[in-house]
């Protein structure tokens, strides 16, 4: 179910701080369906590699801190990542802008939270 409000998006590295943010969200009552970790894998951007394995890949083998049981982990190429952002409630332009910013930064993933309330996690790094 998509919310009428825009989801909260935070740039992250795939590290212990991400695990801490997810644990804080879980402790505050957020469930796995409200929390998404979107990892960009540039190796999955090439159209010749977009077979079903890549298209339907949900997470990598090196999930840290068992976050795949606490949040949805999605690792894929650029087009799939932008599409997932749109499905989570962002416009096509917003999704493209976030993906471009992710590509140009030293971050490796986005933490997306539906209906974030209060200051459960630090807003920026």
């Amino acid at each position: 179910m998509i919310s009428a409000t825009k989801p909260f998006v935070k740039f992250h590295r795939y590290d212990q701080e991400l695990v801490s943010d997810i644990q804080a969200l879980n402790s505050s009552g957020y469930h796995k369906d409200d929390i998404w970790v979107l990892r960009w894998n540039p190796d999955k951007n090439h159209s010749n590699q977009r077979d079903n394995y890549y298209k339907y890949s949900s997470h990598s083998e090196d999930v840290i801190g068992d976050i795949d049981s606490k949040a949805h982990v999605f690792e894929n190429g650029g087009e799939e990542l932008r599409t997932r952002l749109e499905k989570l409630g962002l416009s096509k332009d917003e999704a493209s802008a976030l993906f471009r910013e992710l590509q140009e930064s030293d971050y490796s993933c986005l933490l997306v939270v539906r209906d974030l309330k209060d200051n459960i996690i630090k807003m920026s790094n």
Side-chain angles (χ1 to χ4, degrees):
M1 179 185 317
I2 298 295
S3 164
T5 61
K6 296 281 183 192
F8 168 79
V9 179
K10 181 179 178 182
F11 287 86
H12 252 293
R13 288 172 192 83
Y14 205 64
D15 61 9
Q16 191 57 45
E17 184 180 340
L18 174 65
V19 173
S20 297
D21 278 356
I22 291 171
Q23 288 172 337
L25 289 163
N26 288 152
S27 297
S28 297
Y30 285 84
H31 300 284
K32 181 175 180 172
D33 288 340
D34 299 320
I35 306 167
W36 287 78
V37 176
L38 306 179
R39 289 184 74 185
W40 173 49
N41 185 336
D43 294 334
K44 294 183 181 180
N45 273 348
H46 306 292
S47 59
N48 63 345
Q49 294 180 342
R50 285 194 182 140
D51 58 15
N52 285 338
Y53 173 78
Y54 289 113
K55 188 173 183 182
Y56 299 106
S57 174
S58 61
H59 59 81
S60 65
E61 295 176 17
D62 62 342
V63 174
I64 54 172
D66 192 31
I67 63 171
D68 59 338
S69 68
K70 300 174 177 105
H72 289 284
V73 179
F74 181 84
E75 178 180 335
N76 228 314
E79 186 61 36
E80 291 83 3
L81 196 130
R82 284 188 293 269
T83 300
R84 178 61 55 185
L85 285 167
E86 289 175 43
K87 287 181 180 179
L88 290 171
L90 296 168
S91 72
K92 186 174 193 124
D93 290 340
E94 291 168 329
S96 292
L98 282 169
F99 177 68
R100 269 192 310 278
E101 192 173 339
L102 181 63
Q103 282 181 299
E104 296 167 359
S105 73
D106 63 341
Y107 295 107
S108 58
C109 61
L110 298 171
L111 174 63
V112 182
V113 183
R114 292 185 188 167
D115 299 323
L116 183 67
K117 297 168 183 70
D118 302 320
N119 282 332
I120 298 167
I121 58 176
K122 189 167 68 169
M123 295 301 207
S124 62
N125 296 327

